[in-house]
Amino acid sequence: EANMSWLEFSRWGIQQIMLISRLYYVKNPMIQRGINVCATYVFGRGVEITSTDEATNDAIKEFLERNKRVFGQVALTDQDRRKRYDGNIFWAQQTDTKNTGEVNVRTIDALEIQEIICDPDDTETPQLYRRQWTQKTFDYATGAEASKTMTAWYPALGYEPDVKPEMIGSYEVRWDIPVYHRKCGGPAKWKFGIPLVYAALDWAKAQRKMLESFATIRQSLAQISMTLTTKGGQQALQGVKQQLSTTVGPSASLWDQNPTAVDGSIFASGTGTKLEAFNTSGAGGN
């Protein structure tokens, strides 16, 4: 256990990996496409949860309908994406303990969970989560927006100690909002998961460099499209240059007086002059 704890990435390190993975999901088309395909493949046809017991089935339907923004098909697809670029999903069960007993489920941003406390006798059983987030408020009178840093503790779903303190240190414990944590991508016994795309980031970088090199080669080869061979000597080459050169320049007219030929034009020449396409076969980029 001690060795595993020494090998585990720090909370700051995992946060940087999540931020980098999110950035790659936004900017790298290969990472984004891979994540989107996986997510839509898993939840493309939706999910159905039913029970043979009629009363239980009605409760399930009501629960899923009320929490559609978290357990609907679109929401589940989005959370599968999060699993791949965050490696962690935290579901907060907001429980109405006074009136109806209903539970409204919401997700907590993985970057906001700063610490996980586990059972001393079983590191695979979480007990408490420390959340730190920025709460924004809006003043309707002035139109000003303000923000402040908030911190609170949340119990793990299923953790019911005999004593439930209202405060841990100087921070409130929200016993009415238990949290369920889904982690993936990290070794066993690690408290936090690792984004699944983390292993692909280096390859995405290499692929980007390869595609940039490929584009550079193609752009270089595209500078010359035709080759003209003539036996007329220097005088003939000078004439060809004059006929093919553009007239647009710093001291010339804005309009090209010698534009390139239109599509489907005819090339006519005397004996010993040959015009052909520039051959790029085998030059790279296949």
Side-chain angles (χ1 to χ4, degrees):
E1 295 292 344
N3 288 338
M4 288 303 300
S5 67
W6 292 337
L7 291 172
E8 184 171 359
F9 292 165
S10 68
R11 177 65 187 85
W12 183 88
I14 291 176
Q15 179 157 317
Q16 300 312 303
I17 292 174
M18 286 192 287
L19 291 172
I20 293 171
S21 299
R22 289 183 179 189
L23 177 62
Y24 265 76
Y25 174 71
V26 173
K27 64 170 288 197
N28 189 288
M30 289 168 289
I31 294 295
Q32 185 181 108
R33 179 63 174 166
I35 290 177
N36 287 342
V37 167
C38 289
T40 52
Y41 179 82
V42 172
F43 291 106
R45 300 184 68 178
V47 176
E48 292 184 358
I49 304 174
T50 60
S51 172
T52 55
D53 181 77
E54 185 176 351
T56 303
N57 197 51
D58 290 341
I60 291 174
K61 286 183 178 180
E62 190 276 333
F63 174 80
L64 293 177
E65 182 63 28
R66 182 158 35 82
N67 292 288
K68 195 171 184 178
R69 67 174 63 183
V70 177
F71 296 128
Q73 181 178 356
V74 174
L76 289 174
T77 304
D78 178 66
Q79 289 171 71
D80 192 83
R81 295 189 186 99
R82 291 193 220 176
K83 184 181 71 173
R84 300 178 192 283
Y85 58 67
D86 280 350
N88 300 272
I89 305 176
F90 296 90
W91 287 279
Q93 333 290 320
Q94 300 175 358
T95 311
D96 182 359
T97 58
K98 296 181 179 179
N99 299 313
T100 63
E102 294 179 346
V103 175
N104 295 318
V105 183
R106 298 293 181 265
T107 58
I108 298 176
D109 193 308
L111 298 176
E112 296 178 354
I113 301 297
Q114 299 298 316
E115 186 178 1
I116 300 176
I117 304 299
C118 295
D119 186 340
D121 298 321
D122 183 5
T123 56
E124 293 184 348
T125 303
Q127 293 181 339
L128 295 165
Y129 299 93
R130 181 171 64 86
R131 178 191 179 199
Q132 182 174 310
W133 73 101
T134 300
Q135 185 180 77
K136 293 185 177 181
T137 58
F138 181 74
D139 190 330
Y140 287 91
T142 63
E145 189 177 39
S147 61
K148 62 179 179 179
T149 300
M150 304 287 292
T151 303
W153 288 92
Y154 296 80
L157 184 65
Y159 178 55
E160 296 286 345
D162 296 333
V163 179
K164 296 182 177 180
E166 295 183 359
M167 306 286 289
I168 295 180
S170 56
Y171 303 126
E172 179 187 12
V173 183
R174 301 298 304 272
W175 292 105
D176 58 333
I177 308 179
V179 170
Y180 179 71
H181 177 203
R182 168 74 169 96
K183 63 177 180 178
C184 58
K189 302 294 184 178
W190 282 25
K191 295 179 180 179
F192 287 91
I194 302 294
L196 292 174
V197 299
Y198 177 54
L201 296 185
D202 290 339
W203 294 99
K205 292 179 183 178
Q207 183 73 4
R208 178 180 60 82
K209 291 180 180 179
M210 188 184 76
L211 291 174
E212 288 175 349
S213 299
F214 170 80
T216 300
I217 293 174
R218 302 306 298 179
Q219 289 171 356
S220 299
L221 294 175
Q223 290 180 345
I224 299 175
S225 62
M226 308 293 290
T227 59
L228 188 144
T229 305
T230 179
K231 294 182 179 180
Q234 186 64 34
Q235 184 176 0
L237 290 175
Q238 190 64 30
V240 170
K241 177 181 178 182
Q242 184 176 357
Q243 290 177 2
L244 298 179
S245 294
T246 179
T247 60
V248 175
S251 59
S253 170
L254 179 64
W255 307 104
D256 194 350
Q257 303 300 318
N258 189 29
T260 57
V262 299
D263 294 342
S265 297
I266 297 175
F267 171 75
S269 68
T271 304
T273 301
K274 182 173 66 172
L275 180 69
E276 57 187 356
F278 181 62
N279 184 15
T280 61
S281 177
N286 293 333

